[in-house]
Amino acid sequence: MTDFDNPNVEVPPKSLIKIILRWLAVIPVGIIGLFLGMIVVNIFALFGAWYTGDNLESSGYYKIMYNAISPFIGGVLAVYWSAKVAPTHKKIVATVMAAIILIIDVISTMYSISAKENSLFWVIITGLAIAIGAGYMMYYVYENEDDFKFLND
C-alpha cells in the first residue's frame, strides 16, 4: 500500500506531483505503446519479406505479421504500459485501457469494412488480434498485479 492509498498519511508535495504526472501519463503511454509495438513488428516483417525476396502483396509471412502479430503486440503493449505507469488501481487501469482499445478497434474495423479498401478476411483478423492482445494483457494484470508495482517503491 502506498502513501497515496492511505488517507491518514500526509503525502509530501514531491510525491503528490509524481503521482499526478503518472496518472496524466497513463493513456498517452498506452497509446504510444500500441503504436510503438506495431511499428517494431512491422519493421521485422518488412525485413523478413525483404530477406526472403517475397513480394509484399503476395507474401503470406508479411500479411500474417502485419495483420495479426502486429496488432496483437500493439494491444498487449498498450495495456501493459498503462498498467505499469499507473500509480495505483492497476486492474481498473488495465480494464479501462482494454475498453478504450476495443472501442477504437471496433470503430476502425467498421470503417475498414465500409471503405472496402482491404480484404474483409484480413480486416477481421486485425480487429480480433488487437482485441485478443488487449484482453490477454488485461487478464495477465488481474492474475499478476504484484508484478506491476515496480515504480511504486
Side-chain angles (χ1 to χ4, degrees), residues 21-31 78 81-83 85-87 93 97:
L21 289 175
R22 285 178 59 187
W23 276 117
L24 290 174
V26 167
I27 291 179
V29 164
I31 292 173
W81 284 5
S82 293
V85 168
V93 169
M97 195 62 192

Side-chain angles (χ1 to χ4, degrees), residues 1-150:
M1 181 157 77
T2 65
D3 291 340
F4 188 66
D5 293 330
N6 189 348
N8 299 327
V9 176
E10 190 173 321
V11 179
K14 265 189 173 177
S15 282
L16 187 60
I17 291 171
K18 180 181 172 186
I19 290 168
I20 290 170
L21 289 175
R22 285 178 59 187
W23 276 117
L24 290 174
V26 167
I27 291 179
V29 164
I31 292 173
I32 289 169
L34 172 76
F35 288 117
L36 207 59
M38 292 178 76
I39 288 169
V40 169
V41 172
N42 286 335
I43 289 171
F44 281 119
L46 285 171
F47 278 124
W50 171 76
Y51 182 74
T52 59
D54 288 344
N55 180 2
L56 291 183
E57 297 298 321
S58 62
S59 171
Y61 167 79
Y62 180 75
K63 286 182 179 181
I64 289 171
M65 289 290 284
Y66 182 79
N67 293 308
I69 307 298
S70 172
F72 176 80
I73 297 296
V76 165
L77 289 180
V79 176
Y80 177 82
W81 284 5
S82 293
K84 281 285 194 184
V85 168
T88 57
H89 308 295
K90 309 286 186 178
K91 292 177 181 179
I92 294 171
V93 169
T95 304
V96 168
M97 195 62 192
I100 290 170
I101 296 297
L102 189 60
I103 289 168
I104 293 170
D105 181 36
V106 168
I107 291 169
S108 66
T109 301
M110 288 172 47
Y111 173 76
S112 294
I113 290 172
S114 68
K116 297 179 183 175
E117 294 176 6
N118 298 321
S119 163
L120 180 62
F121 174 76
W122 288 113
V123 168
I124 292 171
I125 293 295
T126 301
L128 286 175
I130 197 166
I132 290 170
Y136 166 75
M137 187 48 64
M138 183 182 72
Y139 173 77
Y140 181 82
V141 171
Y142 269 80
E143 293 295 318
N144 304 298
E145 189 178 21
D146 293 340
D147 293 347
F148 287 83
K149 295 187 179 179
F150 80 103

